[in-house]
């Protein structure tokens, strides 16, 4: 138990210290307002929730093995891991999008059509995959028919 707590606190300390750093080069640091908008974009699009739920899921066996660990420690650990996620992905978004593009994305995802897009995303993805599977079967059938007509 003491070993687990030591490991958890070491992770907290390490990720806490690194979370405030940017991976962009010193000559091209990320503007704080741009960084804040990237974080807002990640929250608006539900990525914060997804990452935190993923870490929470990953912690289930550890929580079961360590029932005496207070919930506050687990919550803090999850929050710190999200900070580490930000540390890793903010520079990626800054590399591929301009600040204005991130603002435009935020505006879209905060709009009613953006909200609809997010709420239907998984359903549409499933429908597309089903449709694609059917289409794939049709293509295979047409190919076999075409090859047969050509004598192959």
């Amino acid at each position: 138990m003491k070993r687990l707590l030591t490991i958890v606190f070491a992770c907290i300390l390490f990720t806490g210290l690194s979370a405030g750093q940017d991976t962009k080069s010193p000559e091209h640091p990320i503007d704080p307002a741009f960084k804040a908008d990237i974080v807002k974009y990640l929250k608006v699009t539900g990525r914060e929730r997804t990452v935190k739920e993923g870490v929470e899921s990953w912690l289930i066996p550890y929580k079961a093995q360590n029932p005496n660990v207070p919930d506050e420690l687990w919550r803090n650990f999850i929050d710190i891991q999200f900070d580490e996620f930000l540390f890793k992905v903010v520079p990626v978004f800054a590399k591929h999008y301009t600040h204005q593009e991130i603002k435009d994305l935020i505006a879209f995802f905060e709009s009613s059509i953006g909200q609809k897009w997010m709420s239907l995303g998984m359903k549409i993805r499933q429908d597309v995959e089903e449709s694609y599977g059917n289409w794939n079967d049709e293509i295979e059938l047409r190919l076999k028919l075409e090859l047969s007509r050509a004598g192959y």
Side-chain angles (χ1 to χ4, degrees), residues 112-125:
S112 59
I113 190 65
Q115 292 294 309
K116 182 176 181 177
W117 185 89
M118 285 190 297
S119 71
L120 291 175
M122 186 57 74
K123 175 66 175 141
I124 290 172
R125 188 174 305 123

Side-chain angles (χ1 to χ4, degrees), residues 121-132:
M122 186 57 74
K123 175 66 175 141
I124 290 172
R125 188 174 305 123
Q126 290 168 344
D127 290 351
V128 166
E129 287 174 8
E130 180 182 319
S131 178
Y132 177 77

Side-chain angles (χ1 to χ4, degrees), residues 5-152:
L5 288 175
T6 302
I7 292 169
V8 169
F9 285 120
C11 289
I12 290 170
L13 178 62
F14 173 74
T15 56
L17 291 174
S18 65
Q21 302 170 1
D22 285 329
T23 58
K24 275 201 156 188
S25 63
E27 54 280 355
H28 296 99
I30 301 171
D31 173 63
F34 187 17
K35 183 176 182 176
D37 281 338
I38 292 170
V39 171
K40 182 177 181 180
Y41 163 78
L42 293 168
K43 289 179 179 189
V44 167
T45 58
R47 290 203 177 133
E48 176 184 32
R49 182 183 68 252
T50 301
V51 169
K52 287 184 176 184
E53 286 172 356
V55 174
E56 177 85 34
S57 175
W58 182 82
L59 288 175
I60 290 171
Y62 295 96
K63 285 180 163 184
Q65 292 170 359
N66 301 283
N68 296 331
V69 174
D71 285 342
E72 182 180 353
L73 187 142
W74 300 117
R75 280 192 306 274
N76 288 340
F77 185 79
I78 291 167
D79 289 342
I80 288 168
Q81 297 318 300
F82 181 69
D83 290 343
E84 181 68 16
F85 168 78
L86 293 176
F87 170 73
K88 293 178 181 305
V89 301
V90 165
V92 174
F93 281 87
K95 176 181 174 183
H96 294 285
Y97 291 102
T98 66
H99 192 174
Q100 186 57 52
E101 288 169 334
I102 290 291
K103 288 178 181 183
D104 293 345
L105 285 168
I106 291 168
F108 170 75
F109 285 110
E110 287 181 333
S111 72
S112 59
I113 190 65
Q115 292 294 309
K116 182 176 181 177
W117 185 89
M118 285 190 297
S119 71
L120 291 175
M122 186 57 74
K123 175 66 175 141
I124 290 172
R125 188 174 305 123
Q126 290 168 344
D127 290 351
V128 166
E129 287 174 8
E130 180 182 319
S131 178
Y132 177 77
N134 294 338
W135 180 54
N136 197 31
D137 294 341
E138 293 169 14
I139 290 172
E140 184 178 6
L141 184 61
R142 280 188 290 237
L143 176 61
K144 288 179 180 178
L145 183 61
E146 196 63 36
L147 289 172
S148 176
R149 285 183 189 157
Y152 296 103

